[in-house]
Amino acid sequence: MYENGLGVEQSDTLAARWYRKAADQGHASAQNSLGVMYIRARGVAQSDKLAAQWYRKSADQGYRYAQYNLGVMYEEGRGVPASPTEAARLYVEGLKLGDDWAVERDVSDWDRATARAMQEKLKKRDLYDGPIDGQIGPGSRDAMRALLPD
């Protein structure tokens, strides 16, 4: 409510404080939201490292949006060592949990190494039979869609 000013005066500081209270109690959505606050320097000092730590806690609980957020951190090497393989693994987990972000992501936004790692993971699951070229195209997207739950 504080983050968006719904029923109260908008306050990033109070939003971050309440997210932290819930995150410390293990609330996965709050952990992810606190990570977002750290990335965007909203109510807290900007910290890629702390954002990644909170995303990890949330992702470890299976929160699908945190899978994506942490994947981006690994893809970009922000707060964690760059790892295309780990980014792709997290994107696959997010897809399996129903987050279609990777399917809808603009082709130009994919890091080639991460796209290659994603194609390799899809190929190992017998979902993709195209080239491992680091270019996300229709075949890669169809393979990712196959991971989404019905």
Side-chain angles (χ1 to χ4, degrees), residues 40 52 64 94 98 116 131:
R40 296 181 180 163
R64 67 184 183 176
R116 255 190 311 282

Side-chain angles (χ1 to χ4, degrees), residues 41-60:
R42 292 187 59 195
V44 292
Q46 198 285 334
S47 172
D48 289 348
K49 184 176 180 181
L50 288 173
Q53 288 174 0
W54 285 111
Y55 290 153
R56 169 62 65 202
K57 289 175 187 268
S58 181
D60 285 350

Side-chain angles (χ1 to χ4, degrees), residues 37-146:
M37 300 297 271
Y38 276 108
I39 281 292
R40 296 181 180 163
R42 292 187 59 195
V44 292
Q46 198 285 334
S47 172
D48 289 348
K49 184 176 180 181
L50 288 173
Q53 288 174 0
W54 285 111
Y55 290 153
R56 169 62 65 202
K57 289 175 187 268
S58 181
D60 285 350
Q61 294 185 70
Y63 191 68
R64 67 184 183 176
Y65 302 116
Q67 304 288 340
Y68 155 72
N69 287 334
L70 186 57
V72 170
M73 301 298 279
Y74 276 101
E75 185 170 1
E76 297 177 356
R78 294 181 64 188
V80 293
S83 174
T85 303
E86 182 64 5
R89 185 190 73 75
L90 288 159
Y91 295 158
V92 165
E93 290 304 311
L95 285 161
K96 291 181 351 188
L97 292 168
D99 186 1
D100 69 350
W101 168 87
V103 176
E104 302 301 325
R105 186 179 192 190
D106 191 87
V107 173
S108 64
D109 289 341
W110 281 90
D111 168 75
R112 284 188 70 117
T114 302
R116 255 190 311 282
M118 183 64 135
Q119 289 170 326
E120 289 169 356
K121 291 198 176 298
L122 296 168
K123 190 170 280 246
K124 284 181 183 175
R125 288 176 170 73
D126 292 323
L127 299 172
Y128 177 71
D129 61 3
I132 307 295
D133 60 4
Q135 296 192 22
I136 300 296
S140 301
R141 289 184 192 281
D142 288 345
M144 286 187 266
R145 277 188 200 93

Side-chain angles (χ1 to χ4, degrees), residues 17-49:
R17 187 175 302 153
W18 282 105
Y19 281 140
R20 178 62 188 253
K21 287 179 186 237
D24 283 342
Q25 295 178 41
H27 192 275
S29 176
Q31 291 167 337
N32 182 69
S33 294
L34 188 55
V36 171
M37 300 297 271
Y38 276 108
I39 281 292
R40 296 181 180 163
R42 292 187 59 195
V44 292
Q46 198 285 334
S47 172
D48 289 348
K49 184 176 180 181

